[in-house]
Amino acid sequence: MKRLAINPPELKDAREIGYNHAIIADGTFYMAGQVAMDADSNVVGDDIKTQARKAYENVGILLETIGKSYDDIVKVTTHIIEPHERYYDGYKEVYLETFNEPYPCHTVLGAHQLAHEDYLLEIEIEVPLTDEDIASLNPDGDVIREI
């Protein structure tokens, strides 16, 4: 089965720092943790709601690149700095704005620190894909690249 790397131009070029934003392998869309970062490497927001909205916006960009939506997500893992304070006071509101019933599986983990001292959370998702989903993707050698 072919493997595809996904790197939309609306997000920071992850390849220049040694990773891909997402990989499709064995019928699953795996995503690198998304944070409140814009394409120019700026941290967006200094509160949990603003950062969660930006991180989920980045997730949406990746999903749109492969023709999927938040409704297709089956698993979310969220790493939050000080989750006992920020999960119920901010993050959960954004999560419920993003997802509808039936909700995906969701794991929230407390983190001591993330890759940048200003990040308050990092979000990872998984989406199962059918053979038809994968066949519909047209690798262009850049945004969607066969690896």
Side-chain angles (χ1 to χ4, degrees), residues 81-131:
I81 302 293
E82 299 175 355
H84 55 281
E85 294 175 18
R86 292 188 170 112
Y87 176 75
Y88 290 107
D89 189 21
Y91 172 78
K92 188 172 183 183
E93 179 182 330
V94 176
Y95 177 84
L96 293 173
E97 290 171 1
T98 305
F99 295 101
N100 299 306
E101 183 71 45
Y103 302 108
C105 299
H106 188 206
T107 300
V108 175
L109 301 168
H112 172 68
Q113 68 184 48
L114 297 169
H116 187 287
E117 65 185 10
D118 293 333
Y119 292 146
L120 301 176
L121 80 159
E122 186 165 339
I123 300 168
E124 302 172 38
I125 61 130
E126 293 179 22
V127 176
L129 300 174
T130 65
D131 289 342

mmCIF file of all heavy atoms in Angstrom, residues 81-131:
data_model
loop_
_atom_site.group_PDB
_atom_site.id
_atom_site.type_symbol
_atom_site.label_atom_id
_atom_site.label_comp_id
_atom_site.label_asym_id
_atom_site.label_seq_id
_atom_site.Cartn_x
_atom_site.Cartn_y
_atom_site.Cartn_z
ATOM 1 N N ILE A 81 -0.987 22.023 28.795
ATOM 2 C CA ILE A 81 -0.240 22.520 29.950
ATOM 3 C C ILE A 81 -1.273 22.875 31.025
ATOM 4 O O ILE A 81 -2.233 23.582 30.742
ATOM 5 C CB ILE A 81 0.598 23.774 29.585
ATOM 6 C CG1 ILE A 81 1.570 23.480 28.441
ATOM 7 C CG2 ILE A 81 1.307 24.344 30.808
ATOM 8 C CD1 ILE A 81 2.683 22.525 28.763
ATOM 9 N N GLU A 82 -1.086 22.366 32.219
ATOM 10 C CA GLU A 82 -2.004 22.598 33.345
ATOM 11 C C GLU A 82 -3.457 22.260 32.988
ATOM 12 O O GLU A 82 -4.352 23.102 33.045
ATOM 13 C CB GLU A 82 -1.892 24.044 33.837
ATOM 14 C CG GLU A 82 -0.511 24.383 34.345
ATOM 15 C CD GLU A 82 -0.352 25.850 34.728
ATOM 16 O OE1 GLU A 82 -1.275 26.661 34.530
ATOM 17 O OE2 GLU A 82 0.736 26.174 35.237
ATOM 18 N N PRO A 83 -3.731 20.999 32.614
ATOM 19 C CA PRO A 83 -5.078 20.639 32.178
ATOM 20 C C PRO A 83 -6.141 20.796 33.268
ATOM 21 O O PRO A 83 -7.300 21.055 32.953
ATOM 22 C CB PRO A 83 -4.936 19.180 31.759
ATOM 23 C CG PRO A 83 -3.784 18.675 32.548
ATOM 24 C CD PRO A 83 -2.842 19.842 32.653
ATOM 25 N N HIS A 84 -5.751 20.636 34.529
ATOM 26 C CA HIS A 84 -6.736 20.772 35.605
ATOM 27 C C HIS A 84 -7.331 22.172 35.633
ATOM 28 O O HIS A 84 -8.452 22.364 36.094
ATOM 29 C CB HIS A 84 -6.101 20.413 36.955
ATOM 30 C CG HIS A 84 -4.860 21.189 37.269
ATOM 31 N ND1 HIS A 84 -3.641 20.866 36.713
ATOM 32 C CD2 HIS A 84 -4.655 22.279 38.033
ATOM 33 C CE1 HIS A 84 -2.731 21.735 37.135
ATOM 34 N NE2 HIS A 84 -3.318 22.606 37.935
ATOM 35 N N GLU A 85 -6.637 23.158 35.110
ATOM 36 C CA GLU A 85 -7.152 24.524 35.021
ATOM 37 C C GLU A 85 -7.730 24.815 33.644
ATOM 38 O O GLU A 85 -8.776 25.441 33.523
ATOM 39 C CB GLU A 85 -6.041 25.537 35.306
ATOM 40 C CG GLU A 85 -5.504 25.500 36.705
ATOM 41 C CD GLU A 85 -4.322 26.442 36.886
ATOM 42 O OE1 GLU A 85 -4.139 27.353 36.055
ATOM 43 O OE2 GLU A 85 -3.583 26.251 37.862
ATOM 44 N N ARG A 86 -7.054 24.377 32.598
ATOM 45 C CA ARG A 86 -7.401 24.831 31.258
ATOM 46 C C ARG A 86 -8.410 23.947 30.521
ATOM 47 O O ARG A 86 -9.047 24.406 29.577
ATOM 48 C CB ARG A 86 -6.135 24.968 30.422
ATOM 49 C CG ARG A 86 -5.256 26.107 30.921
ATOM 50 C CD ARG A 86 -4.116 26.377 29.984
ATOM 51 N NE ARG A 86 -3.441 27.600 30.354
ATOM 52 C CZ ARG A 86 -2.203 27.626 30.836
ATOM 53 N NH1 ARG A 86 -1.501 26.519 30.978
ATOM 54 N NH2 ARG A 86 -1.664 28.789 31.155
ATOM 55 N N TYR A 87 -8.559 22.697 30.928
ATOM 56 C CA TYR A 87 -9.494 21.822 30.209
ATOM 57 C C TYR A 87 -10.925 22.340 30.353
ATOM 58 O O TYR A 87 -11.606 22.592 29.362
ATOM 59 C CB TYR A 87 -9.395 20.375 30.702
ATOM 60 C CG TYR A 87 -10.415 19.483 30.034
ATOM 61 C CD1 TYR A 87 -10.231 19.081 28.711
ATOM 62 C CD2 TYR A 87 -11.562 19.075 30.699
ATOM 63 C CE1 TYR A 87 -11.175 18.283 28.072
ATOM 64 C CE2 TYR A 87 -12.498 18.276 30.069
ATOM 65 C CZ TYR A 87 -12.309 17.884 28.761
ATOM 66 O OH TYR A 87 -13.244 17.104 28.125
ATOM 67 N N TYR A 88 -11.387 22.491 31.572
ATOM 68 C CA TYR A 88 -12.760 22.949 31.792
ATOM 69 C C TYR A 88 -12.916 24.450 31.627
ATOM 70 O O TYR A 88 -13.996 24.942 31.345
ATOM 71 C CB TYR A 88 -13.256 22.516 33.173
ATOM 72 C CG TYR A 88 -13.463 21.031 33.255
ATOM 73 C CD1 TYR A 88 -12.588 20.226 33.973
ATOM 74 C CD2 TYR A 88 -14.517 20.421 32.582
ATOM 75 C CE1 TYR A 88 -12.768 18.852 34.028
ATOM 76 C CE2 TYR A 88 -14.700 19.045 32.626
ATOM 77 C CZ TYR A 88 -13.818 18.272 33.351
ATOM 78 O OH TYR A 88 -13.996 16.920 33.405
ATOM 79 N N ASP A 89 -11.858 25.194 31.806
ATOM 80 C CA ASP A 89 -11.922 26.643 31.707
ATOM 81 C C ASP A 89 -11.342 27.109 30.379
ATOM 82 O O ASP A 89 -10.326 27.789 30.315
ATOM 83 C CB ASP A 89 -11.167 27.289 32.877
ATOM 84 C CG ASP A 89 -11.380 28.793 32.948
ATOM 85 O OD1 ASP A 89 -12.373 29.281 32.378
ATOM 86 O OD2 ASP A 89 -10.541 29.480 33.555
ATOM 87 N N GLY A 90 -11.974 26.690 29.291
ATOM 88 C CA GLY A 90 -11.547 27.165 27.988
ATOM 89 C C GLY A 90 -11.488 26.104 26.905
ATOM 90 O O GLY A 90 -12.173 26.192 25.890
ATOM 91 N N TYR A 91 -10.665 25.080 27.101
ATOM 92 C CA TYR A 91 -10.466 24.098 26.031
ATOM 93 C C TYR A 91 -11.750 23.354 25.694
ATOM 94 O O TYR A 91 -12.094 23.195 24.517
ATOM 95 C CB TYR A 91 -9.370 23.087 26.393
ATOM 96 C CG TYR A 91 -9.297 21.974 25.371
ATOM 97 C CD1 TYR A 91 -8.683 22.186 24.150
ATOM 98 C CD2 TYR A 91 -9.889 20.743 25.604
ATOM 99 C CE1 TYR A 91 -8.653 21.197 23.179
ATOM 100 C CE2 TYR A 91 -9.865 19.746 24.650
ATOM 101 C CZ TYR A 91 -9.250 19.968 23.437
ATOM 102 O OH TYR A 91 -9.239 18.991 22.478
ATOM 103 N N LYS A 92 -12.463 22.888 26.715
ATOM 104 C CA LYS A 92 -13.649 22.073 26.451
ATOM 105 C C LYS A 92 -14.673 22.826 25.616
ATOM 106 O O LYS A 92 -15.326 22.237 24.759
ATOM 107 C CB LYS A 92 -14.264 21.591 27.767
ATOM 108 C CG LYS A 92 -15.370 20.586 27.549
ATOM 109 C CD LYS A 92 -15.847 19.976 28.831
ATOM 110 C CE LYS A 92 -16.904 18.936 28.548
ATOM 111 N NZ LYS A 92 -17.442 18.369 29.761
ATOM 112 N N GLU A 93 -14.807 24.128 25.835
ATOM 113 C CA GLU A 93 -15.732 24.944 25.047
ATOM 114 C C GLU A 93 -15.370 24.890 23.566
ATOM 115 O O GLU A 93 -16.235 24.718 22.696
ATOM 116 C CB GLU A 93 -15.707 26.389 25.550
ATOM 117 C CG GLU A 93 -16.611 27.329 24.786
ATOM 118 C CD GLU A 93 -16.526 28.762 25.294
ATOM 119 O OE1 GLU A 93 -16.257 28.981 26.489
ATOM 120 O OE2 GLU A 93 -16.724 29.660 24.467
ATOM 121 N N VAL A 94 -14.098 25.031 23.247
ATOM 122 C CA VAL A 94 -13.650 24.994 21.854
ATOM 123 C C VAL A 94 -13.831 23.587 21.279
ATOM 124 O O VAL A 94 -14.263 23.425 20.133
ATOM 125 C CB VAL A 94 -12.185 25.463 21.730
ATOM 126 C CG1 VAL A 94 -11.688 25.341 20.300
ATOM 127 C CG2 VAL A 94 -12.051 26.898 22.229
ATOM 128 N N TYR A 95 -13.524 22.570 22.073
ATOM 129 C CA TYR A 95 -13.724 21.184 21.626
ATOM 130 C C TYR A 95 -15.187 20.966 21.233
ATOM 131 O O TYR A 95 -15.477 20.407 20.171
ATOM 132 C CB TYR A 95 -13.299 20.218 22.739
ATOM 133 C CG TYR A 95 -13.524 18.776 22.397
ATOM 134 C CD1 TYR A 95 -12.592 18.056 21.664
ATOM 135 C CD2 TYR A 95 -14.687 18.114 22.803
ATOM 136 C CE1 TYR A 95 -12.799 16.725 21.336
ATOM 137 C CE2 TYR A 95 -14.904 16.786 22.482
ATOM 138 C CZ TYR A 95 -13.961 16.096 21.751
ATOM 139 O OH TYR A 95 -14.174 14.784 21.423
ATOM 140 N N LEU A 96 -16.117 21.433 22.071
ATOM 141 C CA LEU A 96 -17.541 21.233 21.789
ATOM 142 C C LEU A 96 -18.028 22.109 20.634
ATOM 143 O O LEU A 96 -19.029 21.776 19.994
ATOM 144 C CB LEU A 96 -18.369 21.472 23.056
ATOM 145 C CG LEU A 96 -18.136 20.433 24.155
ATOM 146 C CD1 LEU A 96 -18.859 20.833 25.437
ATOM 147 C CD2 LEU A 96 -18.552 19.032 23.705
ATOM 148 N N GLU A 97 -17.351 23.194 20.326
ATOM 149 C CA GLU A 97 -17.649 23.992 19.130
ATOM 150 C C GLU A 97 -17.186 23.260 17.871
ATOM 151 O O GLU A 97 -17.762 23.437 16.795
ATOM 152 C CB GLU A 97 -16.902 25.335 19.156
ATOM 153 C CG GLU A 97 -17.374 26.323 20.169
ATOM 154 C CD GLU A 97 -16.435 27.534 20.275
ATOM 155 O OE1 GLU A 97 -15.415 27.606 19.531
ATOM 156 O OE2 GLU A 97 -16.710 28.403 21.115
ATOM 157 N N THR A 98 -16.153 22.452 18.013
ATOM 158 C CA THR A 98 -15.523 21.792 16.873
ATOM 159 C C THR A 98 -16.218 20.488 16.502
ATOM 160 O O THR A 98 -16.345 20.163 15.315
ATOM 161 C CB THR A 98 -14.034 21.520 17.186
ATOM 162 O OG1 THR A 98 -13.413 22.756 17.553
ATOM 163 C CG2 THR A 98 -13.306 20.921 15.999
ATOM 164 N N PHE A 99 -16.662 19.733 17.501
ATOM 165 C CA PHE A 99 -17.215 18.399 17.263
ATOM 166 C C PHE A 99 -18.689 18.316 17.634
ATOM 167 O O PHE A 99 -19.157 19.005 18.535
ATOM 168 C CB PHE A 99 -16.429 17.355 18.069
ATOM 169 C CG PHE A 99 -15.011 17.227 17.629
ATOM 170 C CD1 PHE A 99 -13.998 17.830 18.344
ATOM 171 C CD2 PHE A 99 -14.680 16.528 16.484
ATOM 172 C CE1 PHE A 99 -12.680 17.731 17.942
ATOM 173 C CE2 PHE A 99 -13.361 16.423 16.061
ATOM 174 C CZ PHE A 99 -12.364 17.024 16.793
ATOM 175 N N ASN A 100 -19.372 17.427 16.923
ATOM 176 C CA ASN A 100 -20.781 17.126 17.186
ATOM 177 C C ASN A 100 -20.910 15.671 17.608
ATOM 178 O O ASN A 100 -20.021 14.858 17.340
ATOM 179 C CB ASN A 100 -21.615 17.350 15.910
ATOM 180 C CG ASN A 100 -21.543 18.788 15.427
ATOM 181 O OD1 ASN A 100 -21.818 19.704 16.180
ATOM 182 N ND2 ASN A 100 -21.150 18.976 14.177
ATOM 183 N N GLU A 101 -22.026 15.335 18.192
ATOM 184 C CA GLU A 101 -22.358 13.958 18.524
ATOM 185 C C GLU A 101 -22.494 13.190 17.226
ATOM 186 O O GLU A 101 -23.104 13.714 16.286
ATOM 187 C CB GLU A 101 -23.661 13.955 19.327
ATOM 188 C CG GLU A 101 -24.103 12.615 19.795
ATOM 189 C CD GLU A 101 -23.223 12.050 20.897
ATOM 190 O OE1 GLU A 101 -22.882 12.764 21.841
ATOM 191 O OE2 GLU A 101 -22.876 10.866 20.765
ATOM 192 N N PRO A 102 -21.981 11.998 17.052
ATOM 193 C CA PRO A 102 -21.197 11.266 18.042
ATOM 194 C C PRO A 102 -19.754 11.791 18.062
ATOM 195 O O PRO A 102 -19.131 11.968 17.015
ATOM 196 C CB PRO A 102 -21.227 9.824 17.542
ATOM 197 C CG PRO A 102 -21.356 9.947 16.053
ATOM 198 C CD PRO A 102 -22.139 11.223 15.808
ATOM 199 N N TYR A 103 -19.270 12.057 19.228
ATOM 200 C CA TYR A 103 -17.925 12.607 19.394
ATOM 201 C C TYR A 103 -16.861 11.545 19.128
ATOM 202 O O TYR A 103 -17.099 10.354 19.320
ATOM 203 C CB TYR A 103 -17.745 13.147 20.813
ATOM 204 C CG TYR A 103 -18.753 14.202 21.170
ATOM 205 C CD1 TYR A 103 -19.776 13.937 22.062
ATOM 206 C CD2 TYR A 103 -18.680 15.462 20.598
ATOM 207 C CE1 TYR A 103 -20.711 14.913 22.380
ATOM 208 C CE2 TYR A 103 -19.610 16.441 20.912
ATOM 209 C CZ TYR A 103 -20.625 16.158 21.802
ATOM 210 O OH TYR A 103 -21.541 17.123 22.107
ATOM 211 N N PRO A 104 -15.667 11.984 18.709
ATOM 212 C CA PRO A 104 -14.568 11.019 18.571
ATOM 213 C C PRO A 104 -14.074 10.575 19.946
ATOM 214 O O PRO A 104 -14.396 11.206 20.965
ATOM 215 C CB PRO A 104 -13.484 11.827 17.839
ATOM 216 C CG PRO A 104 -13.782 13.253 18.139
ATOM 217 C CD PRO A 104 -15.263 13.347 18.347
ATOM 218 N N CYS A 105 -13.296 9.516 19.986
ATOM 219 C CA CYS A 105 -12.589 9.161 21.215
ATOM 220 C C CYS A 105 -11.669 10.328 21.534
ATOM 221 O O CYS A 105 -11.128 10.958 20.620
ATOM 222 C CB CYS A 105 -11.730 7.913 21.012
ATOM 223 S SG CYS A 105 -12.675 6.461 20.562
ATOM 224 N N HIS A 106 -11.485 10.624 22.814
ATOM 225 C CA HIS A 106 -10.699 11.796 23.167
ATOM 226 C C HIS A 106 -9.887 11.507 24.420
ATOM 227 O O HIS A 106 -10.444 11.116 25.444
ATOM 228 C CB HIS A 106 -11.626 12.986 23.411
ATOM 229 C CG HIS A 106 -10.919 14.284 23.598
ATOM 230 N ND1 HIS A 106 -11.461 15.317 24.303
ATOM 231 C CD2 HIS A 106 -9.711 14.741 23.173
ATOM 232 C CE1 HIS A 106 -10.648 16.360 24.305
ATOM 233 N NE2 HIS A 106 -9.566 16.024 23.625
ATOM 234 N N THR A 107 -8.593 11.689 24.327
ATOM 235 C CA THR A 107 -7.696 11.551 25.465
ATOM 236 C C THR A 107 -7.063 12.903 25.719
ATOM 237 O O THR A 107 -6.567 13.546 24.786
ATOM 238 C CB THR A 107 -6.589 10.511 25.173
ATOM 239 O OG1 THR A 107 -7.209 9.251 24.913
ATOM 240 C CG2 THR A 107 -5.631 10.387 26.344
ATOM 241 N N VAL A 108 -7.111 13.352 26.975
ATOM 242 C CA VAL A 108 -6.461 14.598 27.371
ATOM 243 C C VAL A 108 -5.320 14.237 28.310
ATOM 244 O O VAL A 108 -5.530 13.532 29.304
ATOM 245 C CB VAL A 108 -7.446 15.547 28.077
ATOM 246 C CG1 VAL A 108 -6.721 16.785 28.599
ATOM 247 C CG2 VAL A 108 -8.562 15.949 27.123
ATOM 248 N N LEU A 109 -4.138 14.700 27.971
ATOM 249 C CA LEU A 109 -2.954 14.432 28.774
ATOM 250 C C LEU A 109 -2.363 15.738 29.281
ATOM 251 O O LEU A 109 -2.295 16.720 28.535
ATOM 252 C CB LEU A 109 -1.894 13.706 27.937
ATOM 253 C CG LEU A 109 -2.329 12.371 27.346
ATOM 254 C CD1 LEU A 109 -1.316 11.888 26.320
ATOM 255 C CD2 LEU A 109 -2.511 11.349 28.438
ATOM 256 N N GLY A 110 -1.946 15.743 30.520
ATOM 257 C CA GLY A 110 -1.241 16.895 31.055
ATOM 258 C C GLY A 110 0.189 16.881 30.554
ATOM 259 O O GLY A 110 0.817 15.830 30.458
ATOM 260 N N ALA A 111 0.676 18.043 30.212
ATOM 261 C CA ALA A 111 2.047 18.164 29.727
ATOM 262 C C ALA A 111 2.788 19.185 30.581
ATOM 263 O O ALA A 111 2.224 20.218 30.958
ATOM 264 C CB ALA A 111 2.062 18.611 28.270
ATOM 265 N N HIS A 112 4.025 18.879 30.882
ATOM 266 C CA HIS A 112 4.864 19.816 31.625
ATOM 267 C C HIS A 112 5.291 20.973 30.725
ATOM 268 O O HIS A 112 5.303 22.127 31.131
ATOM 269 C CB HIS A 112 6.085 19.088 32.194
ATOM 270 C CG HIS A 112 7.101 19.989 32.818
ATOM 271 N ND1 HIS A 112 6.863 20.686 33.982
ATOM 272 C CD2 HIS A 112 8.342 20.342 32.411
ATOM 273 C CE1 HIS A 112 7.921 21.413 34.283
ATOM 274 N NE2 HIS A 112 8.838 21.226 33.336
ATOM 275 N N GLN A 113 5.649 20.631 29.482
ATOM 276 C CA GLN A 113 6.010 21.640 28.502
ATOM 277 C C GLN A 113 5.856 21.059 27.112
ATOM 278 O O GLN A 113 5.842 19.846 26.932
ATOM 279 C CB GLN A 113 7.431 22.145 28.710
ATOM 280 C CG GLN A 113 8.519 21.120 28.418
ATOM 281 C CD GLN A 113 9.905 21.653 28.725
ATOM 282 O OE1 GLN A 113 10.119 22.214 29.784
ATOM 283 N NE2 GLN A 113 10.819 21.470 27.801
ATOM 284 N N LEU A 114 5.744 21.951 26.127
ATOM 285 C CA LEU A 114 5.655 21.554 24.733
ATOM 286 C C LEU A 114 6.863 22.130 23.995
ATOM 287 O O LEU A 114 7.766 22.677 24.630
ATOM 288 C CB LEU A 114 4.324 22.033 24.142
ATOM 289 C CG LEU A 114 3.091 21.402 24.828
ATOM 290 C CD1 LEU A 114 1.812 22.100 24.393
ATOM 291 C CD2 LEU A 114 3.014 19.913 24.535
ATOM 292 N N ALA A 115 6.879 22.032 22.673
ATOM 293 C CA ALA A 115 8.067 22.405 21.896
ATOM 294 C C ALA A 115 8.434 23.886 21.990
ATOM 295 O O ALA A 115 9.570 24.251 21.734
ATOM 296 C CB ALA A 115 7.878 22.012 20.434
ATOM 297 N N HIS A 116 7.505 24.738 22.331
ATOM 298 C CA HIS A 116 7.763 26.173 22.495
ATOM 299 C C HIS A 116 7.157 26.588 23.824
ATOM 300 O O HIS A 116 6.058 26.156 24.177
ATOM 301 C CB HIS A 116 7.128 26.949 21.338
ATOM 302 C CG HIS A 116 7.470 28.403 21.311
ATOM 303 N ND1 HIS A 116 6.943 29.315 22.200
ATOM 304 C CD2 HIS A 116 8.286 29.105 20.482
ATOM 305 C CE1 HIS A 116 7.412 30.511 21.927
ATOM 306 N NE2 HIS A 116 8.233 30.416 20.891
ATOM 307 N N GLU A 117 7.829 27.429 24.546
ATOM 308 C CA GLU A 117 7.381 27.810 25.893
ATOM 309 C C GLU A 117 6.022 28.501 25.914
ATOM 310 O O GLU A 117 5.345 28.516 26.947
ATOM 311 C CB GLU A 117 8.418 28.704 26.571
ATOM 312 C CG GLU A 117 8.613 30.029 25.894
ATOM 313 C CD GLU A 117 9.738 30.871 26.491
ATOM 314 O OE1 GLU A 117 10.511 30.363 27.316
ATOM 315 O OE2 GLU A 117 9.836 32.042 26.110
ATOM 316 N N ASP A 118 5.572 29.060 24.774
ATOM 317 C CA ASP A 118 4.280 29.746 24.740
ATOM 318 C C ASP A 118 3.112 28.858 24.326
ATOM 319 O O ASP A 118 1.966 29.287 24.384
ATOM 320 C CB ASP A 118 4.360 30.959 23.809
ATOM 321 C CG ASP A 118 5.276 32.043 24.356
ATOM 322 O OD1 ASP A 118 5.436 32.123 25.589
ATOM 323 O OD2 ASP A 118 5.833 32.807 23.536
ATOM 324 N N TYR A 119 3.393 27.628 23.875
ATOM 325 C CA TYR A 119 2.301 26.726 23.503
ATOM 326 C C TYR A 119 1.603 26.224 24.764
ATOM 327 O O TYR A 119 2.250 25.784 25.713
ATOM 328 C CB TYR A 119 2.805 25.519 22.720
ATOM 329 C CG TYR A 119 3.336 25.830 21.349
ATOM 330 C CD1 TYR A 119 4.395 25.097 20.830
ATOM 331 C CD2 TYR A 119 2.786 26.825 20.560
ATOM 332 C CE1 TYR A 119 4.892 25.366 19.569
ATOM 333 C CE2 TYR A 119 3.282 27.102 19.293
ATOM 334 C CZ TYR A 119 4.331 26.367 18.816
ATOM 335 O OH TYR A 119 4.821 26.630 17.563
ATOM 336 N N LEU A 120 0.272 26.249 24.722
ATOM 337 C CA LEU A 120 -0.530 25.760 25.841
ATOM 338 C C LEU A 120 -1.140 24.399 25.559
ATOM 339 O O LEU A 120 -1.597 23.734 26.486
ATOM 340 C CB LEU A 120 -1.638 26.772 26.169
ATOM 341 C CG LEU A 120 -1.168 28.176 26.551
ATOM 342 C CD1 LEU A 120 -2.366 29.094 26.763
ATOM 343 C CD2 LEU A 120 -0.277 28.126 27.788
ATOM 344 N N LEU A 121 -1.183 24.003 24.269
ATOM 345 C CA LEU A 121 -1.740 22.695 23.929
ATOM 346 C C LEU A 121 -1.213 22.230 22.584
ATOM 347 O O LEU A 121 -0.696 23.023 21.787
ATOM 348 C CB LEU A 121 -3.268 22.739 23.893
ATOM 349 C CG LEU A 121 -3.934 23.315 22.643
ATOM 350 C CD1 LEU A 121 -5.352 22.830 22.566
ATOM 351 C CD2 LEU A 121 -3.885 24.810 22.645
ATOM 352 N N GLU A 122 -1.355 20.933 22.366
ATOM 353 C CA GLU A 122 -0.989 20.308 21.097
ATOM 354 C C GLU A 122 -2.009 19.215 20.840
ATOM 355 O O GLU A 122 -2.340 18.441 21.742
ATOM 356 C CB GLU A 122 0.423 19.723 21.178
ATOM 357 C CG GLU A 122 0.931 19.199 19.876
ATOM 358 C CD GLU A 122 2.433 18.966 19.870
ATOM 359 O OE1 GLU A 122 3.149 19.554 20.708
ATOM 360 O OE2 GLU A 122 2.891 18.188 19.009
ATOM 361 N N ILE A 123 -2.520 19.158 19.604
ATOM 362 C CA ILE A 123 -3.614 18.252 19.262
ATOM 363 C C ILE A 123 -3.175 17.296 18.160
ATOM 364 O O ILE A 123 -2.605 17.715 17.150
ATOM 365 C CB ILE A 123 -4.841 19.054 18.779
ATOM 366 C CG1 ILE A 123 -5.320 19.997 19.890
ATOM 367 C CG2 ILE A 123 -5.952 18.124 18.324
ATOM 368 C CD1 ILE A 123 -6.320 21.031 19.425
ATOM 369 N N GLU A 124 -3.478 16.005 18.356
ATOM 370 C CA GLU A 124 -3.232 14.972 17.351
ATOM 371 C C GLU A 124 -4.560 14.301 17.029
ATOM 372 O O GLU A 124 -5.403 14.162 17.910
ATOM 373 C CB GLU A 124 -2.290 13.898 17.892
ATOM 374 C CG GLU A 124 -0.943 14.404 18.344
ATOM 375 C CD GLU A 124 -0.159 13.303 19.053
ATOM 376 O OE1 GLU A 124 -0.237 12.129 18.625
ATOM 377 O OE2 GLU A 124 0.498 13.617 20.031
ATOM 378 N N ILE A 125 -4.724 13.878 15.788
ATOM 379 C CA ILE A 125 -5.942 13.167 15.401
ATOM 380 C C ILE A 125 -5.600 11.959 14.535
ATOM 381 O O ILE A 125 -4.500 11.868 13.981
ATOM 382 C CB ILE A 125 -6.924 14.079 14.633
ATOM 383 C CG1 ILE A 125 -6.300 14.611 13.337
ATOM 384 C CG2 ILE A 125 -7.386 15.244 15.488
ATOM 385 C CD1 ILE A 125 -7.127 14.445 12.133
ATOM 386 N N GLU A 126 -6.574 11.066 14.419
ATOM 387 C CA GLU A 126 -6.485 9.934 13.502
ATOM 388 C C GLU A 126 -7.803 9.815 12.756
ATOM 389 O O GLU A 126 -8.869 10.004 13.344
ATOM 390 C CB GLU A 126 -6.207 8.634 14.251
ATOM 391 C CG GLU A 126 -4.845 8.585 14.896
ATOM 392 C CD GLU A 126 -4.591 7.296 15.670
ATOM 393 O OE1 GLU A 126 -5.263 6.277 15.377
ATOM 394 O OE2 GLU A 126 -3.744 7.322 16.554
ATOM 395 N N VAL A 127 -7.705 9.500 11.453
ATOM 396 C CA VAL A 127 -8.877 9.332 10.605
ATOM 397 C C VAL A 127 -8.684 8.058 9.776
ATOM 398 O O VAL A 127 -7.675 7.935 9.073
ATOM 399 C CB VAL A 127 -9.049 10.539 9.646
ATOM 400 C CG1 VAL A 127 -10.213 10.316 8.697
ATOM 401 C CG2 VAL A 127 -9.221 11.831 10.429
ATOM 402 N N PRO A 128 -9.631 7.121 9.847
ATOM 403 C CA PRO A 128 -9.534 5.951 8.969
ATOM 404 C C PRO A 128 -9.921 6.342 7.542
ATOM 405 O O PRO A 128 -10.798 7.185 7.335
ATOM 406 C CB PRO A 128 -10.551 4.973 9.567
ATOM 407 C CG PRO A 128 -11.553 5.842 10.243
ATOM 408 C CD PRO A 128 -10.805 7.062 10.709
ATOM 409 N N LEU A 129 -9.247 5.744 6.567
ATOM 410 C CA LEU A 129 -9.529 6.033 5.164
ATOM 411 C C LEU A 129 -9.822 4.742 4.420
ATOM 412 O O LEU A 129 -9.212 3.706 4.696
ATOM 413 C CB LEU A 129 -8.325 6.728 4.511
ATOM 414 C CG LEU A 129 -7.909 8.062 5.124
ATOM 415 C CD1 LEU A 129 -6.625 8.551 4.470
ATOM 416 C CD2 LEU A 129 -9.008 9.091 5.010
ATOM 417 N N THR A 130 -10.734 4.820 3.482
ATOM 418 C CA THR A 130 -11.020 3.670 2.628
ATOM 419 C C THR A 130 -10.039 3.664 1.463
ATOM 420 O O THR A 130 -9.361 4.669 1.193
ATOM 421 C CB THR A 130 -12.456 3.747 2.074
ATOM 422 O OG1 THR A 130 -12.548 4.887 1.203
ATOM 423 C CG2 THR A 130 -13.496 3.854 3.190
ATOM 424 N N ASP A 131 -9.996 2.558 0.753
ATOM 425 C CA ASP A 131 -9.165 2.495 -0.453
ATOM 426 C C ASP A 131 -9.612 3.556 -1.463
ATOM 427 O O ASP A 131 -8.781 4.152 -2.149
ATOM 428 C CB ASP A 131 -9.249 1.104 -1.092
ATOM 429 C CG ASP A 131 -8.534 0.042 -0.272
ATOM 430 O OD1 ASP A 131 -7.701 0.398 0.582
ATOM 431 O OD2 ASP A 131 -8.828 -1.157 -0.488
#
